[in-house]
Amino acid sequence: MRLICALALVAATTAAHAQGDAALGEKRFEECASCHTTVRGENGVGPSLFGMFDRKAGELDDFRYSPP
């Protein structure tokens, strides 16, 4: 489930960026927003996606990930 959300976010971000359509990216993120936030240090069911392009998956110190 996390992988699907992450892939959806990447796909939405890439499409929105490539087309310059912030509204489209925001709309597509609605599916991920039920579990994730983009606020630094604010986690939901899933970890915050703030700065996700600057770190490896599973590296947030303040989020308790499930076992791999």
Side-chain angles (χ1 to χ4, degrees):
M1 180 68 172
R2 288 185 183 140
L3 178 60
I4 292 170
C5 285
L7 291 174
L9 177 66
V10 169
T13 305
T14 303
H17 185 308
Q19 298 169 7
D21 190 346
L24 176 61
E26 202 170 321
K27 177 75 175 154
R28 293 216 176 146
F29 181 70
E30 288 175 4
E31 295 176 27
C32 305
S34 61
C35 296
H36 300 277
T37 179
T38 57
V39 178
R40 179 194 304 253
E42 185 179 302
N43 298 312
V45 173
S48 171
L49 299 178
F50 181 87
M52 71 177 269
F53 295 108
D54 298 326
R55 68 174 191 261
K56 291 182 182 178
E59 281 193 336
L60 272 184
D61 293 332
D62 62 346
F63 185 77
R64 185 175 167 213
Y65 294 93
S66 60

